[in-house]
Amino acid sequence: MTRLRQIMLEELERRNYAPSTIGAYLRTVEHFARYFRCPPDRLGTEHIRQYQAAMFRTWKLSPNTVTQRLAALRYLYIQVLQRGWSVAETPYPKKVLRLPQILSQQEVARLIDAAEPPFHRVLLMTLYATGARRAEVARLKITDIDSERMVVHIRGGKGRKDRDVMLSPALLDELRAYWRGLKKKPTDWLFPGNKWHTANRPVTTKVLWMACQQAAIRAGLEDRNIHPHTLRHCFATHMLEAGADLRTIQILLGHRDLEETTIYLHLSNKHLSATASFLDGLTLTSRRTTPRND
């Protein structure tokens, strides 16, 4: 490990950054240095500008990914190298807001029923029933399942925040069946790693990703680009359609800002169908035009 990497790691840890953020920042700085074949403390604003252009032109990265990588470089230059950072010379790209894919409740049922092996099924049920992020589901501990209060404790979510979500009776039954099927009962993690589920570490988030991908293929939904976050979006949208208010959904999702939660207004069929088009209120002459054959 180089001295610069060590300093950056220590600065990130001192500020209690999430492990995923620390890893992403360090990988960005390493890639930045390899791209120019030069230590990052010898690179300047012009190199950052070239790197930002390459992210779009050469690697075709999304604006949000480019913003994250620029944030890593900004942290390096300001907090580690103690240099200035010009926003005018290194602007963040405009954000692109795309509406996520939403499955109907019937499609979610198809997806879960298509999951194999049973371990994948319980993972998908947990994602949908809790609305948790895939990393939050992977890190669930046995003690986080509170069957007396019927809640699931989400520990150390995004922003290092804890929250509680409802524990579905159907999910509780599935978790109990999963537990009875384990040959070796875990003592800490609810979903331990390795193929026998006996590791002293949690399952990786890649397993949850693959569970979604494989179930989608079996369910005939492979063209829908389904991933773990899709089930989180479905959880929120279906709750909104069932009458839950945005503030409740915000708390359950662990959103810091209510504006993040309002995106589900654009996805809810209930809210879309409740808004009439002004075209329907116009009095128009009944006239049909027949296209000419030129």
Side-chain angles (χ1 to χ4, degrees):
M1 179 182 290
T2 66
R3 182 175 178 276
L4 186 60
R5 176 188 169 89
Q6 181 63 38
I7 293 174
M8 184 169 182
L9 175 60
E10 290 173 354
E11 289 299 316
L12 288 164
E13 291 176 338
R14 283 202 313 134
R15 289 166 172 79
N16 199 29
Y17 275 60
S20 58
T21 303
I22 292 175
Y25 276 27
L26 292 175
R27 286 192 299 271
T28 293
V29 173
E30 289 172 0
H31 187 265
F32 178 60
R34 285 200 308 271
Y35 180 68
F36 292 103
R37 298 180 181 179
C38 182
D41 55 351
R42 292 168 54 187
L43 301 173
T45 303
E46 178 59 24
H47 297 96
I48 298 173
R49 187 194 65 77
Q50 294 176 27
Y51 186 70
Q52 182 177 5
M55 284 191 279
F56 282 113
R57 184 177 59 244
T58 306
W59 305 308
K60 311 297 182 184
L61 301 182
S62 70
N64 291 342
T65 302
V66 173
T67 297
Q68 183 191 55
R69 292 199 176 188
L70 287 176
L73 296 179
R74 183 177 185 272
Y75 185 92
L76 168 71
Y77 279 83
I78 294 178
Q79 303 295 342
V80 181
L81 299 178
Q82 302 291 311
R83 295 185 190 173
W85 179 275
S86 173
V87 175
E89 294 181 8
T90 316
Y92 286 131
K94 291 183 178 181
K95 289 186 177 181
V96 177
L97 179 61
R98 292 189 174 91
L99 295 180
Q101 283 267 11
I102 296 297
L103 304 178
S104 68
Q105 288 181 289
Q106 294 75 19
E107 288 173 323
V108 172
R110 277 172 54 194
L111 182 75
I112 293 174
D113 281 339
E116 293 180 10
F119 182 62
H120 283 186
R121 176 184 172 89
V122 73
L123 289 177
L124 297 191
M125 290 184 70
T126 306
L127 285 166
Y128 179 65
T130 62
R133 302 173 179 91
R134 64 179 181 271
E136 294 168 345
V137 169
R139 293 197 303 265
L140 282 175
K141 294 188 174 183
I142 299 168
T143 53
D144 292 333
I145 307 302
D146 189 341
S147 59
E148 289 191 9
R149 294 180 55 220
M150 291 303 287
V151 298
V152 178
H153 304 295
I154 307 293
R155 312 282 187 184
K158 191 172 182 179
R160 297 295 179 90
K161 293 182 179 179
D162 295 350
R163 69 183 188 279
D164 287 347
V165 299
M166 73 286 278
L167 172 57
S168 156
L171 176 61
L172 180 59
D173 289 344
E174 191 75 17
L175 288 172
R176 284 172 172 167
Y178 152 73
W179 181 267
R180 289 192 296 267
L182 292 176
K183 294 182 179 179
K184 180 181 177 182
K185 308 303 183 191
T187 57
D188 192 8
W189 303 107
L190 180 62
F191 302 124
N194 83 30
K195 62 185 298 184
W196 300 280
H197 314 301
T198 56
N200 59 357
R201 65 180 187 279
V203 68
T204 66
T205 57
K206 184 178 179 180
V207 173
L208 283 91
W209 188 280
M210 294 303 299
C212 284
Q213 298 286 298
Q214 293 171 8
I217 293 172
R218 292 192 186 95
L221 298 169
E222 62 270 21
D223 60 331
R224 303 294 295 275
N225 189 27
I226 297 171
H227 47 79
H229 222 72
T230 303
L231 293 175
R232 176 174 163 86
H233 293 315
C234 292
F235 165 87
T237 304
H238 296 165
M239 280 202 65
L240 188 62
E241 291 176 343
D245 61 273
L246 280 175
R247 175 58 179 162
T248 298
I249 297 173
Q250 177 194 3
I251 294 172
L252 291 174
L253 293 177
H255 283 167
R256 180 169 49 185
D257 193 330
L258 186 62
E259 186 177 352
E260 294 180 70
T261 317
T262 57
I263 188 176
Y264 297 108
L265 290 171
H266 299 280
L267 301 171
S268 167
N269 284 333
K270 176 182 177 181
H271 290 80
L272 291 175
S273 59
T275 305
S277 169
F278 287 107
L279 177 64
D280 298 328
L282 299 180
T283 302
L284 300 174
T285 302
S286 296
R287 182 174 60 188
R288 300 288 186 270
T289 58
T290 302
R292 295 184 304 172
N293 293 323
D294 295 330

